[in-house]
Amino acid sequence: MAHRQRFRVTVCRCFWGCLLGTLVLLATLLAPSAAYTASRTVRVGVYQNAPKIFLDENGRAAGLFVELLERIAAEEGWTLVYVPCEWAACLQALADGVIDLMPDVAYSAERDEIYDFHQTPVLESWSRVYASPSSPIREIADLDGKRIAVLRRSIQQTVFAQLMEGFGYQVTLIPTDSPAQAFELAAKGQADGAIASHLFGDYFYRQYGLVKTSFDFSPSQLFYATAAGRNADLLEAIDRHLAEWIPNPGSPYYTTLGHWTEVESRYRVPPSIFWGLGGVTALLIAAIGTAVVFRHQVKLRTKRLEQINEELHQSEQRYQTLARISPVGIFRTDADGATTYVNPKWCEIAGISAEEALGDGWLKAVHPDDREALRQGWQEASRLRRPSFADYRFMRADGTVVWVMGQAVPEVNSDGQVVGYVGTITDITERKQAEDEVRRLNAELEERVAQRTKELSVAMHRAQEADRLKSAFLATMSHELRTPLNSIIGFTGVLLQELAGPLNPEQRKQLGMVRDSARHLLALINDVLDISKIEAGQLEVERAPFDIRAAIESALRSVSPQAQKKGLTLTAAIASNVGSVVSDRRRVEQILLNLLSNAIKFTERGEVRLECRVQNGWLEISVHDTGIGIRPEDLGRLFEPFRQLETGLNRRHEGTGLGLAICKNLVTLLGGQIRVESEWGKGSTFTFTLPIGDW
């Protein structure tokens, strides 16, 4: 009897406690909320990437990221304004401050410089290649020479391009504004394949008639992002809710994840709950049926707990399914870094069983050369409670070596404490093999370059030595030849003066030809000697004041007989301000004689005209002729030594081809420049400038 009395008292206390709680709840719901009075408007970018985020057929924002954000906004008192845009435009609008928040952004170091991210990732995703049934893409080697559509300015585009470059494959990337557009191009045959996240691709590839390939890459973590330095309070609020929800299997996070990762009906609150609340309200007025209402409330709460447990069970099953079918190896550890779970893909990559991998057992499968460094790095990351990233090798029992890219991030509870780590390993053996091949190619190339450089150095030394010997030989031979030639010229002159006796006309004619030939040969030898000294760097010039007008007149007198012999007019125009200059008179006269002689030699009729003027502190001398001119294709070779524009035995004009080369070198030694203007068949103009100099 006493037991029953205590039960009634307890029931009454619970009942009135429920009534009081209900009154407080109603008062809270009916009272004006400070959060709503201070509601904040948040502009959110939306692009088409179902099921994560998209605009439905009614133009409303939907998807996993949208549903999570709306749950957070409801608790924070935010007013969400959705701004539709294409992916690249969304990122630019975020950076420019046009929108406040962008969902579904994969983290990268480059983006971290432009945008801010919260700490806890919303999802882990990876990229996958989907192909048209008519396109032979089934494995990575089939991508060579193909056209692949990919979302513009996405992590997928950057990583895929780097992978293809590393493998040496020629792949044409077609940037698109959305994953749906990429799938449309592949479906129409305008691309051989399309890249998308596995969430979007596995959800839609059958709708587009595409085939899911085995090429997965670029595991990434997805976040909400803001512009750098802006809206930090939004990220703080998102992190706060995710930290509270993720450790709790019955939280809105797992409800939303289950909604969008599998196609099923969304949970709705049973009408009986509202009926129960109505009954409680009625009891406040009538104060009857206390025990019945209490039992009904207990039943409803029990049912709700059962639903939560079922949702938790389903969420755990989904997690296990995702981990089981994941194309990357997944592992979990406790707070100290000891492994507690690995998925089948991890076992396949590492070559050991799940039982062998538990604790620190996984380290036994690591290549001996990498084991100690990896163990120390992992222990350091665990001690500091920070993410871990490393490339390392597994050595399987059969001796096969597998390169992997490993990464792990801390799991935190609602109090912000690290309770473990979740990580992935991705097989990057082919990429590493490609990198090793590139390194071997570079090493071989460097060795070849070094060998070739050594050979060229030896060849250059030999060429320089040969050039020095040539110049020395020419200088010696020129000196040896000039001595007898001067004797021939001198003795011929004595004979022509008839100092040794009278000469008949034929003898005088023949001796004159001997003297002219000797003088011509001497001039050629002098030219060879000059070019040899120039090339050997032994030709020296003097600098002294002299009257340039007198030097010009002397040169004109020297070539006047040649012009008269050919019936050419030889004229000169010397400006009134032309006077003394500081230079080497002998070399200046040599330049004048060479240019005037050349002009007379290549002119059959008309005139040769010399002009001299002073402009801006420089002496400018031009020699014009009305001769045969120079073809445009020959102008570039004109000042090269031993270069004659006429070749062969039937050439009409004599010479060694040294005159213009000597002129150019002499002008340069004297601090000036020389140039030529010519038109084929109409004549040429050679102009050189010299500094007037101070004296």
Side-chain angles (χ1 to χ4, degrees):
M1 191 70 179
H3 175 73
R4 292 179 179 176
Q5 183 66 28
R6 285 195 301 271
F7 176 75
R8 292 192 185 99
V9 172
T10 301
V11 169
C12 290
R13 288 178 178 173
C14 290
F15 170 70
W16 290 113
C18 289
L19 292 181
L20 180 59
T22 304
L23 286 173
V24 172
L25 177 60
L26 290 173
T28 302
L29 293 173
L30 295 175
S33 171
Y36 283 106
T37 58
S39 174
R40 174 173 178 181
T41 298
V42 181
R43 298 164 297 177
V44 183
V46 180
Y47 77 110
Q48 296 298 103
N49 195 359
K52 294 183 291 182
I53 182 170
F54 62 99
L55 293 175
D56 63 16
E57 63 275 7
N58 297 318
R60 291 191 296 267
L64 188 151
F65 275 87
V66 171
E67 185 172 331
L68 279 177
L69 185 61
E70 288 182 344
R71 288 177 181 266
I72 295 173
E75 296 191 22
E76 294 294 327
W78 298 341
T79 298
L80 302 180
V81 176
Y82 294 106
V83 180
C85 48
E86 295 175 348
W87 171 248
C90 283
L91 291 181
Q92 189 60 50
L94 182 65
D96 295 340
V98 176
I99 59 177
D100 304 311
L101 195 66
M102 186 63 203
D104 188 27
V105 181
Y107 175 85
S108 70
E110 293 79 7
R111 287 179 176 171
D112 194 37
E113 297 179 358
I114 306 174
Y115 312 110
D116 286 340
F117 298 83
H118 50 89
Q119 297 298 316
T120 304
V122 179
L123 280 179
E124 287 193 353
S125 178
W126 57 86
S127 301
R128 176 170 290 160
V129 176
Y130 299 84
S132 170
S134 61
S135 180
I137 299 177
R138 297 297 180 269
E139 56 186 26
I140 186 171
D142 297 332
L143 292 168
D144 193 16
K146 299 300 189 297
R147 303 162 300 164
I148 304 298
V150 63
L151 182 63
R152 181 181 284 107
R153 287 186 60 185
S154 63
I155 297 295
Q156 302 161 339
Q157 180 180 7
T158 303
V159 174
F160 185 77
Q162 292 172 347
L163 285 173
M164 294 302 99
E165 182 179 358
F167 288 126
Y169 295 160
Q170 299 296 322
V171 177
T172 301
L173 292 182
I174 305 175
T176 64
D177 295 322
S178 68
Q181 185 182 0
F183 272 32
E184 288 175 2
L185 292 177
K188 295 176 180 178
Q190 297 175 2
D192 298 305
I195 295 174
S197 73
H198 76 284
L199 294 171
F200 176 90
D202 291 357
Y203 198 88
F204 286 110
Y205 77 97
R206 291 188 183 91
Q207 177 180 331
Y208 288 88
L210 302 182
V211 174
K212 182 167 57 176
T213 73
S214 62
F215 182 47
D216 300 325
F217 66 98
S218 185
S220 60
Q221 295 178 324
L222 306 179
F223 298 83
Y224 297 93
T226 66
R230 300 181 184 176
N231 301 306
D233 58 320
L234 300 180
L235 300 179
E236 187 277 331
I238 293 171
D239 256 328
R240 188 172 64 252
H241 286 283
L242 290 177
E244 178 184 351
W245 289 345
I246 291 177
N248 182 7
S251 67
Y253 175 82
Y254 291 100
T255 302
T256 303
L257 187 65
H259 182 188
W260 293 105
T261 55
E262 291 184 10
V263 181
E264 60 179 15
S265 299
R266 188 177 179 182
Y267 169 76
R268 296 181 181 274
V269 178
S272 57
I273 292 180
F274 296 101
W275 179 87
L277 290 175
V280 172
T281 305
L283 284 176
L284 291 174
I285 301 172
I288 59 175
T290 303
V292 176
V293 174
F294 177 73
R295 284 195 298 271
H296 185 64
Q297 291 291 331
V298 171
K299 183 178 179 180
L300 289 176
R301 293 186 181 184
T302 301
K303 184 177 181 181
R304 177 57 179 159
L305 288 175
E306 291 174 349
Q307 291 174 339
I308 291 174
N309 287 333
E310 179 61 24
E311 290 172 359
L312 176 61
H313 177 68
Q314 292 179 0
S315 175
E316 182 65 22
Q317 284 187 326
R318 294 187 188 103
Y319 173 81
Q320 293 293 339
T321 300
L322 287 173
R324 187 170 59 255
I325 67 174
S326 171
V328 297
I330 298 176
F331 64 90
R332 297 183 72 175
T333 76
D334 60 20
D336 296 326
T339 301
T340 59
Y341 168 81
V342 293
N343 72 337
K345 188 66 175 180
W346 191 100
C347 296
E348 177 188 335
I349 294 174
I352 61 174
S353 67
E355 292 75 16
E356 292 174 310
L358 297 181
D360 291 336
W362 63 276
L363 274 170
K364 297 177 182 177
V366 175
H367 194 286
D369 294 344
D370 299 343
R371 190 176 299 156
E372 183 59 25
L374 183 62
R375 183 186 63 79
Q376 293 180 1
W378 175 240
Q379 290 180 349
E380 181 71 5
S382 301
R383 184 179 65 83
L384 298 177
R385 300 294 195 260
R386 68 185 185 189
S388 172
F389 302 92
D391 289 355
Y392 54 95
R393 293 168 289 179
F394 282 112
M395 178 174 281
R396 296 172 177 167
D398 62 358
T400 303
V401 175
V402 180
W403 273 99
V404 298
M405 176 182 67
Q407 54 184 346
V409 294
E411 278 189 291
V412 296
N413 60 16
S414 58
D415 297 327
Q417 296 177 333
V418 175
V419 296
Y421 289 82
V422 175
T424 62
I425 59 172
T426 305
D427 189 338
I428 58 171
T429 304
E430 291 186 358
R431 191 195 80 187
K432 285 292 185 179
Q433 290 173 345
E435 291 175 353
D436 290 342
E437 183 62 28
V438 170
R439 280 194 293 270
R440 285 194 295 271
L441 176 55
N442 287 339
E444 292 175 2
L445 183 60
E446 289 174 0
E447 184 178 353
R448 292 177 184 176
V449 169
Q451 181 63 28
R452 185 58 178 159
T453 301
K454 183 178 179 180
E455 293 173 356
L456 290 175
S457 177
V458 172
M460 183 179 69
H461 177 72
R462 290 175 178 173
Q464 290 173 341
E465 181 64 16
D467 187 64
R468 186 188 65 80
L469 292 174
K470 178 206 71 174
S471 298
F473 171 77
L474 289 176
T476 302
M477 290 304 298
S478 298
H479 176 75
E480 294 298 326
L481 289 173
R482 281 198 302 175
T483 300
L485 279 175
N486 284 325
S487 297
I488 291 172
I489 294 170
F491 287 126
T492 304
V494 170
L495 292 174
L496 287 172
Q497 293 177 17
E498 298 184 350
L499 297 177
L503 300 172
N504 61 42
E506 184 61 27
Q507 290 173 332
R508 180 176 294 276
K509 175 183 176 182
Q510 295 295 334
L511 286 173
M513 293 173 62
V514 170
R515 183 184 60 182
D516 292 342
S517 296
R519 286 176 176 173
H520 178 66
L521 182 58
L522 181 61
L524 294 180
I525 292 173
N526 287 334
D527 285 347
V528 171
L529 183 60
D530 283 344
I531 200 70
S532 299
K533 288 183 177 180
I534 289 171
E535 290 180 349
Q538 299 175 355
L539 185 68
E540 297 181 356
V541 295
E542 299 179 354
R543 297 192 182 276
F546 67 92
D547 185 359
I548 188 64
R549 185 184 296 271
I552 293 173
E553 291 173 350
S554 174
L556 289 172
R557 285 194 300 270
S558 296
V559 299
S560 179
Q562 301 174 32
Q564 292 175 359
K565 186 176 181 180
K566 297 186 71 173
L568 302 177
T569 302
L570 180 64
T571 60
I574 304 175
S576 59
N577 59 345
V578 173
S580 294
V581 297
V582 177
S583 191
D584 189 324
R585 175 169 181 164
R586 185 168 72 89
R587 296 303 180 184
V588 172
E589 288 186 0
Q590 185 178 356
I591 296 168
L592 290 171
L593 287 171
N594 271 332
L595 294 180
L596 288 169
S597 296
N598 264 13
I600 294 170
K601 179 167 58 175
F602 292 103
T603 303
E604 299 301 326
R605 56 180 176 274
E607 67 171 347
V608 173
R609 178 177 176 81
L610 183 146
E611 295 180 358
C612 181
R613 66 190 68 83
V614 174
Q615 290 187 346
N616 301 321
W618 289 81
L619 179 71
E620 183 177 281
I621 299 176
S622 298
V623 176
H624 310 271
D625 67 60
T626 58
I628 62 175
I630 305 167
R631 293 183 178 90
E633 62 268 23
D634 293 330
L635 287 174
R637 303 179 292 128
L638 200 59
F639 294 104
E640 296 177 8
F642 301 102
R643 177 68 68 178
Q644 294 177 320
L645 302 186
E646 288 184 334
T647 58
L649 297 176
N650 59 347
R651 59 191 180 98
R652 296 175 298 168
H653 303 94
E654 297 179 349
T656 60
L658 292 176
L660 290 178
I662 292 173
C663 286
K664 183 178 186 303
N665 282 281
L666 289 177
V667 169
T668 302
L669 286 172
L670 294 173
Q673 293 181 335
I674 188 169
R675 64 181 185 273
V676 60
E677 299 174 359
S678 182
E679 184 176 355
W680 177 245
K682 294 187 178 181
S684 305
T685 299
F686 286 83
T687 301
F688 68 96
T689 59
L690 295 174
I692 293 178
D694 296 327
W695 57 279

